[in-house]
Amino acid sequence: MSATTQTPTTPASSTASKAARLLGDRRLPVLATAALFLAMYIGGLSRYQNYGFAEPQVFLNLFIDNGYLLVAAVGATFVILSGGIDLSVGSVIGFTTMFTAWLVERQGVPLVIAVVLALGVGSFGGFLMGYVIHNFEIQPFIVTLAGLFLFRGLCLVISKESISIGDASVSSLAQTRVSLGLGELSIGALLALVVLGIAFYVLHYTRFGRRVYAIGGNEQSAMLMGLPQGGTKIAVYTVSGFCSALAGLLFTLYIQSGDPLHATGMELDAIAAVVIGGTLLTGGSGYVIGTLFGVLVLGLIKSLIQFEGTLSSWWTKIATGVLLCAFILIQRAMTARKKT
Amino acid sequence: MAEPQPVLQMTGIVKEFPGVRALSGVDFRLFPGEIHALLGENGAGKSTLIKVLTGVHSLDGGTITLDGESVRFASPLQAQQAGISTVYQEVNLCPNLSVAENIFIGREPTRAGRIQWKRMRREAAELVDRLGLDIDVTAPLSSYPLAVQQLVAIVRSVGTGDSVSGGSGTKVLILDEPTSSLDRGEVLELFSLMRRLKEQGVAILFVSHFLDQIYEVCDRMTVLRNGTLVGEHMVRDLDQVGLVQLMIGKALDQLEELHDHQLHSDVGETLLKAEALGRAGGIAPFDLEVKKGEVIGLAGLLGSGRTELARLLFGADQPDSGTVSIGGKQVSMNAPNDAIGAGVAFCSENRKTEGLVPDLTVRENIILALQAARGWTRPIPASQRDELVAKYIKALDIRPANPEARVGQLSGGNQQKVLLARWLITQPKLLILDEPTRGIDIGAKAEIQKLVVSLSEDGMSVLYIAAELEEVLRLSHTIGVLRDRRLVAQLTNGPEITTSRILETIASGEHQ
């Protein structure tokens, strides 16, 4: 034997090229979701043509009816991209509806101040959860589960019964429609789209956004590359808390009441929308645009079932479950090939 | 040659962890434009020294001067800003981001808070070009093989240094085992990049287990052992045998020792045969034949692939290539369960973390493997269980001889015996012992060695891994020598085989 060392040849090159092909198409899952949405929409057009499905307003209603979910899902996208999870979303939304209704109806607080307070409480809740997750190195699952119970409990502390909002400014705000020519959008839907746009900019054109991706890709590496991963993590949960509170406000506007049981389990809808939108649950890969399509797909399922008329609304859940399962399997196939 | 001023000087470095003195008074210096190897066995303190230098760990004593100024870094970021960049063994980049982003993340060019993607890609491409590499910076990092990712990590380090102090910022580049998972061609590419950086005046600290690579690329080396400085030498002044002696800490003649024990010659037919078995990044493909009643000792430096070889035979790691047959029948070793089913038992070197359950009793720990082999639906009758446990406690002289004692409270030697008892109770055909005598007292050591001899006399085959060559030599019929994650030689034990002979084989990698 000669003195030269022959290290074993790694199969990295062959698997890497395989991974390259797949990851070169990182937009693939988003495109798949968009295609699915389109297919479902076209299917709906052909089946319910005579029932007014072709009206542009039916499409726009998807945004009106799911604006709050879109905002919540955008927050969840940040968290999931960073490799975490936020289970407190639904509770924060529920709490926000209760809190706002209570402030406006029972305490006579001006709407603007109630909004600011609600957003503040939601963001602070997210900040606290992020702080605990980072500083005590506890799994996000458990910390945000605690947040879920905490906020749901706080709802009941405010009142055990629902509070309907009779405030004139709220109802006029809720009724306001902005015409787009073909149809019209509510204030809530427009706000949701603005949030989506800001989220896209932040994730792709700011250092903070890239840090979210970096941490989701490999947290250990991010730290060793000198990125402030702790601050980023806390910020991510703060963003999610803020988005949940904003979603809560939109939800309040949508149904004009506060109820301790509002939005129970909505965190799961938000997570489902993010995952169906092609964001990897393991973090680091995905687009907030995908989340939009995820929300639209979920909303369209609801609409289609309504148009069908004879189906129980529980079919929404069943369809969501099937889709989620399919998308998780696709993700699994992608990550399995990524690993050597 | 007049010695220039060192760019980095570490003096009297002390680092303590709870219960361990990881570094005691280590001196280290690094000159500009040199490649300096930091050597030592696993646990000698190389990584700790690097981590202390780069601010991952705090310093408990000693001084660090960089360019004549006393420094002390609180974080890797501070060290980077001062011009000390580190590339770790594992590629610490984000595979989900593009190459350009990996090079720039944390210091992306921005205007009014908005990342300038075009400028970032252009500058990344320029940097890659300047270092003579051919990489598409817009592709995601994960689309490149590990070797290129490693190079990107170096580009990032160099780039980070540049942006801080403008032009030639990186003074010290630390490469912590960058080659461990690269193939030959990739290593050469890495080396040429290292030489280019060296010409640009960068001081490179290179850590590698591969001695040949040290001799190929390094100018100077510092050897550590057990957290102390053993010596600093020019590479050309010290040959490999001398180096291995320094690392192990024994001169060859000290190791000459006649083995008094007579090996039994009752070795039967082939029990296990591995052909071209290997795993990338673990151990190169090897052939190995284990006969019934034979003791095979594995010798090699820590990190040379001894444990990796054993883990392959036990199915704890999945092989990339090769086959294993036991008793003439080919078996697939994809999980430890397969191996246990085929009669292979494995006592791990980390008995605390990988073997014993410290909160369970001696009895429960001993019975664990047998119960697993029977399947959980068929419990062992209590009377039979107690009888078996009592038998092995007696046979192995486990103290205290109380089956209800918690294993965590036993001494290291007795824990090892419990682990042994667990596997012996399943009556394996091949017993793999990975450093069974590490960290236990001399008496227990001798007992375990005696046990190995008597087991092999009863027809059990044993694969024995030990750090101490004398131990391997005393017990083994055949000695497999490992080096650089490769089984380089299999020596049949006999009067002409001595510890120095084994050491020479380890050092040269040649079967003389």
Side-chain angles (χ1 to χ4, degrees), chain B residues 179 266 293 333 438 470:
Chain B
T179 55
D266 186 19
M333 289 281 189
R438 191 171 74 174
E470 295 91 334

Side-chain angles (χ1 to χ4, degrees), chain A residues 3 5 7 26 205 207 210 284, chain B residues 96 101 108 115 142 182 212:
Chain A
T5 312
T7 46
R26 191 163 307 184
Y205 289 100
R207 289 188 177 180
R210 301 322 291 170
Chain B
N96 56 328
E101 232 188 320
E108 300 98 330
I115 295 175
S142 57
L182 307 188
D212 291 329

Side-chain angles (χ1 to χ4, degrees), chain A residues 2 32 52 91 95 122-123 137 162-163 174 185 194 211 232 262 290 322 330:
Chain A
S2 75
S91 291
F95 171 76
S123 309
E137 292 179 10
S162 64
I163 305 170
L185 280 180
V194 169
R211 285 206 298 268
T232 308
H262 269 337
V322 170
I330 294 171

Side-chain angles (χ1 to χ4, degrees), chain B residues 71-144:
Chain B
V71 288
R72 191 172 281 211
F73 305 117
S75 71
L77 189 63
Q78 281 186 17
Q80 267 178 32
Q81 284 163 352
I84 300 180
S85 296
T86 314
V87 174
Y88 297 92
Q89 177 177 11
E90 284 95 39
V91 177
N92 282 299
L93 297 175
C94 293
N96 56 328
L97 304 180
S98 72
V99 171
E101 232 188 320
N102 269 296
I103 295 174
F104 273 95
I105 194 160
R107 52 187 188 87
E108 300 98 330
T110 57
R111 179 180 294 153
R114 183 192 163 104
I115 295 175
Q116 296 169 289
W117 284 95
K118 274 188 187 155
R119 188 173 144 207
M120 185 166 102
R121 294 201 185 103
R122 196 185 59 234
E123 288 181 6
E126 282 167 11
L127 192 58
V128 165
D129 206 41
R130 180 156 72 80
L131 295 171
L133 301 171
D134 179 25
I135 301 171
D136 173 14
V137 296
T138 59
L141 185 75
S142 57
S143 64
Y144 284 106

Side-chain angles (χ1 to χ4, degrees), chain B residues 282-299:
Chain B
I283 182 149
F286 63 91
D287 296 330
L288 185 71
E289 208 178 301
V290 184
K291 298 195 178 70
K292 194 168 180 296
E294 186 183 30
V295 180
I296 295 194
L298 293 183

